[in-house]
Amino acid sequence: MEFDYIIVHYDEIGLKGKNRGSFEELLIRNIEMKLKDLMKSCFRESGHLTIEINAKADISKIKEALSQIPGIAYFSFAKKVELNLDSLKKEAVSFLEDKKYDSFKVNTVRHDKGFELNSMELNSKLGEVIIKACNKKVKMKSPDIMLKIELSKKSAYISDEDIKGVGGLPTNPQQKVVALLSGGFDSPVAAYLMMKRGCEVILVHFHNKNQASSSVEGKITKLAEQLSKFQVKTKLCIVPFENLQKEIIMKVNSKLRMLIYRKFMLKIASKIAELNKAKFLIVGDSLSQVASQTFENLEATYTDSERHILSPLIGLDKREIIDLAKRIDTYEISAMPYGDCCSYFLAKHPTLKADVRLLKKNEALFDVDKLVESAIKQAKAKVI
Ligand code: ATP
Ligand code: MG
């Protein structure tokens, strides 16, 4: 079967009332930017988007790209058919010609109600023809093939497989955020969840070149490349952390160091957010998961941040985070060896209950503005 169209379905966009048009436009723009010359056009029809495929396009490439574009709940490769009963009968039989199956069911969805028959009537008319022409039986529950007929205002489409997308909302370049990306399992998932909710996520990684056991390229770039599949444009900033870290190690008690590393990371990330017109900082914290993420330490770390911090994983268990990491294919990359600078020169038993004043007292030991400025100057950004 040669498919010529794809029917793209969203769910949450459908609930947007008057704003629905602008979400659809964003989704069309993102699909166009991702599929490029794999497609000819993408347009709105009643209740869904329709993509006209380039005849020479590699279907597996289209499938991979669409299943990673936020805003798409599911999609199906389809054959376009003229909107009349005779064509539908003929094309339904020809659609099933080369397929191996014993049972089938016809499922008509009328996105536009103008057609002469209602869904039930069309289901039974097409069912009769298929039974006769193909000698197959109808099965209402778990048929081998579910033949889907979608009726729009001007055309009909036949398909037999719904492919799951990531759901969520389309990337909006006006909703920029900066995600702090470590080499661990959590922060890539946090970045992904924000992408899924329609944010354009800028990734920032702090790197101590004297300490990392493998190169940034080996792991962080790979993570960024994998995450870039879920949005249109991905900027990765690598910020050298060795000088700052040396100074922190000299001045701050090892029990508190982790929190001061984190405070500086948040300060530098806030500056990067400001420079890129990003509104929020995103971290991979999950409440009480590790010492730096106790209730008290999170409050001490987040207080006074120049930018608001969002922690999309805050209420998830590690198991749930790992399951998500596997689903978005960051798990294997995160499992690669890499010494994150956050775990450098720490006490065996770090403080579990820091307070804001204690952290402030320690921050006062530094010329913060100068250190932030120097880190920003040395940062390297690339677009993936
Ligand atoms: P992860 O699996 O994301 O590394 P974690 O449980 O190991 O999380 P921490 O090391 O305490 O937690 O880091 C908490 C958060 O701080 C990370 O999720 C990330 O957002 C940020 N972070 C930590 N280290 C770095 C780094 N080197 N560069 C950028 N962000 C970092
Ligand atoms: Mg970490």
Side-chain angles (χ1 to χ4, degrees):
M1 165 56 50
E2 292 280 308
F3 298 111
D4 44 11
Y5 284 82
I6 304 166
I7 306 299
V8 173
H9 290 279
Y10 36 74
D11 35 30
E12 222 173 301
I13 296 177
L15 307 173
K16 292 291 175 204
K18 278 190 189 150
N19 295 326
R20 179 164 157 176
S22 59
F23 283 93
E24 287 173 331
E25 268 163 37
L26 276 175
L27 187 53
I28 291 175
R29 164 195 168 272
N30 295 345
I31 289 172
E32 285 170 350
M33 289 177 81
K34 280 286 183 189
L35 293 191
K36 298 196 178 91
D37 53 7
L38 294 171
M39 58 172 259
K40 281 190 190 153
S41 63
C42 179
F43 50 93
R44 263 183 256 180
E45 281 193 279
S46 17
H48 61 86
L49 301 182
T50 307
I51 300 172
E52 188 179 358
I53 307 173
N54 188 336
K56 292 188 206 114
D58 178 343
I59 296 285
S60 64
K61 274 194 186 152
I62 298 181
K63 190 170 166 178
E64 194 192 346
L66 290 182
S67 57
Q68 290 163 327
I69 297 178
I72 298 180
Y74 61 97
F75 59 97
S76 43
F77 288 92
K79 182 88 196 145
K80 187 172 173 172
V81 179
E82 267 179 47
L83 195 56
N84 63 65
L85 189 56
D86 284 344
S87 303
L88 277 163
K89 283 179 178 171
K90 195 171 132 240
E91 293 296 337
V93 170
S94 115
F95 188 92
L96 293 170
E97 223 160 38
D98 305 327
K99 296 191 186 286
K100 286 200 168 60
Y101 65 102
D102 291 320
S103 59
F104 74 97
K105 178 182 170 180
V106 182
N107 176 25
T108 299
V109 183
R110 291 193 307 160
H111 299 296
D112 184 275
K113 309 276 187 224
F115 192 64
E116 59 196 83
L117 302 176
N118 69 26
S119 308
M120 298 281 276
E121 289 163 347
L122 187 56
N123 288 345
S124 79
K125 288 258 186 257
L126 295 180
E128 275 169 32
V129 174
I130 294 165
I131 292 170
K132 230 191 223 161
C134 313
N135 195 24
K136 304 288 178 186
K137 59 176 189 286
V138 174
K139 198 170 162 207
M140 298 314 268
K141 228 178 171 184
S142 318
D144 297 335
I145 286 192
M146 171 79 86
L147 193 71
K148 193 160 152 195
I149 313 290
E150 299 192 58
L151 303 182
S152 292
K153 205 178 174 79
K154 291 188 184 142
S155 325
Y157 298 92
I158 304 185
S159 64
D160 69 338
E161 189 194 0
D162 283 341
I163 303 162
K164 220 170 139 22
V166 292
L169 293 166
T171 313
N172 180 348
Q174 306 297 322
Q175 291 184 175
K176 284 198 181 66
V177 297
V178 163
L180 285 84
L181 180 74
S182 72
F185 293 102
D186 304 330
S187 47
V189 176
Y192 159 76
L193 288 177
M194 297 309 293
M195 292 173 182
K196 184 170 169 275
R197 295 306 298 166
C199 291
E200 182 176 312
V201 180
I202 298 166
L203 303 168
V204 175
H205 176 69
F206 296 90
H207 179 65
N208 184 334
K209 69 172 191 295
N210 303 326
Q211 178 251 346
S213 56
S214 66
S215 72
V216 175
E217 281 71 26
K219 182 162 185 178
I220 303 303
T221 307
K222 277 203 175 78
L223 275 176
E225 279 167 2
Q226 180 56 25
L227 288 168
S228 76
K229 295 179 180 169
F230 302 102
Q231 61 181 2
V232 175
K233 181 181 147 199
T234 300
K235 194 184 215 183
L236 170 66
C237 299
I238 307 284
V239 185
F241 207 56
E242 53 274 358
N243 293 341
L244 225 165
Q245 200 153 20
K246 210 157 124 194
E247 198 169 328
I248 296 173
I249 291 164
M250 270 165 20
K251 292 181 174 169
V252 176
N253 185 301
S254 61
K255 282 178 177 296
L256 271 186
R257 266 177 212 152
M258 170 67 131
L259 300 181
I260 300 295
Y261 293 159
R262 296 248 288 150
K263 277 252 148 183
F264 270 99
M265 287 183 185
L266 292 168
K267 285 175 194 299
I268 297 164
S270 294
K271 188 74 197 166
I272 294 175
E274 187 191 319
L275 294 170
N276 286 279
K277 299 193 170 57
K279 301 294 182 207
F280 293 101
L281 301 184
I282 312 302
V283 290
D285 294 333
S286 153
L287 186 59
S288 304
Q289 189 195 76
V290 288
S292 59
Q293 294 161 25
T294 62
F295 193 77
E296 291 79 3
N297 284 351
L298 284 184
E299 196 240 356
T301 315
Y302 288 6
T303 301
D304 292 341
S305 171
E306 284 83 349
R307 291 271 139 177
H308 281 296
I309 299 168
L310 301 180
S311 315
L313 310 182
I314 201 73
L316 297 188
D317 299 346
K318 192 78 186 183
R319 171 57 47 209
E320 293 169 305
I321 299 170
I322 293 291
D323 286 349
L324 275 168
K326 287 181 178 163
R327 231 166 68 198
I328 63 169
D329 286 334
T330 54
Y331 178 84
E332 296 289 337
I333 311 172
S334 292
M336 288 164 66
Y338 181 78
D340 185 66
C341 61
C342 243
S343 53
Y344 196 36
F345 275 98
L346 301 178
K348 220 173 178 170
H349 300 289
T351 186
L352 298 176
K353 291 188 178 191
D355 66 42
V356 180
R357 271 188 326 186
L358 184 62
L359 291 194
K360 280 201 168 210
K361 224 166 102 185
N362 276 272
E363 280 172 46
L365 304 171
F366 299 86
D367 185 343
V368 174
D369 290 345
K370 201 171 133 206
L371 288 167
V372 170
E373 198 182 307
S374 144
I376 296 281
K377 263 194 195 142
Q378 294 172 60
K380 290 207 162 55
K382 60 178 166 185
V383 174
I384 290 171

